[in-house]
Amino acid sequence: MELNSRRLTYEDYDTLIDWWKSWPDWVPLSRNLLPEQGTGGIMIERDGIPVVAGFLYGTNSKIAWMEWIVSNPKEKNKSDAILLLISSLEHWAKEGGFEVVLSIGRSKSLIEKHKTLGYTVDKDPSYEITKKIQ
């Protein structure tokens, strides 16, 4: 079973919404809150079936922000797909001239995947702090 990496398309957004809705405590994001209106990310597929996706936000510095990794709840074996997703987003950031990739997460398995790929994980928990300003 072969995995492949591709850029997200406009049509992928509906799939991602369904995935977000299937996971407890996830609230789907509107397109205008995602990079490139929901196309600024990567989808990993196994034999043509979407498995996992994530986004990469560019900044006005040399830091890119990897976020909103979500997976197909119907797929069981996602470990290799998640590793490929993180590596693909990292490669894309490097091609874009970024020097650091930042990510925020609480999923223990996702944190372990980052560690496997050489990411530094702070031992003290952090909190996402957000405010809707409009």
Side-chain angles (χ1 to χ4, degrees):
M1 299 201 175
E2 186 174 328
L3 293 171
N4 76 304
S5 172
R6 65 168 175 81
R7 285 285 306 268
L8 287 171
T9 66
Y10 190 83
E11 293 75 24
D12 288 323
Y13 181 74
D14 291 334
T15 298
L16 300 178
I17 292 295
D18 289 342
W19 290 359
W20 278 320
K21 286 180 178 179
S22 73
W23 294 104
D25 303 324
W26 275 69
V27 177
L29 291 158
S30 60
R31 284 185 189 274
N32 65 326
L33 297 177
L34 296 168
E36 300 175 36
Q37 294 290 303
T39 63
I42 291 178
M43 174 73 77
I44 304 300
E45 296 176 328
R46 180 183 296 115
D47 298 326
I49 297 171
V51 177
V52 64
F55 293 89
L56 190 69
Y57 291 83
T59 69
N60 61 355
S61 69
K62 293 292 183 181
I63 296 175
W65 180 31
M66 178 191 320
E67 191 53 271
W68 311 121
I69 293 176
V70 63
S71 63
N72 183 340
K74 295 177 184 172
E75 290 293 309
K76 301 295 182 220
N77 182 9
K78 299 180 250 198
S79 184
D80 289 344
I82 293 168
L83 288 170
L84 179 57
L85 174 66
I86 294 168
S87 297
S88 296
L89 288 166
E90 180 182 326
H91 179 73
W92 187 24
K94 189 173 183 177
E95 283 181 342
F98 295 99
E99 296 175 9
V100 172
V101 175
L102 170 71
S103 184
I104 299 171
R106 68 181 73 120
S107 162
K108 289 183 170 107
S109 64
L110 191 54
I111 289 169
E112 289 305 313
K113 302 280 185 299
H114 280 87
K115 285 181 181 178
T116 297
L117 294 170
Y119 283 73
T120 300
V121 178
D122 191 344
K123 298 204 184 315
D124 294 321
S126 299
Y127 298 92
E128 294 110 15
I129 302 168
T130 60
K131 179 180 180 182
K132 187 171 182 176
I133 56 174
Q134 235 176 337

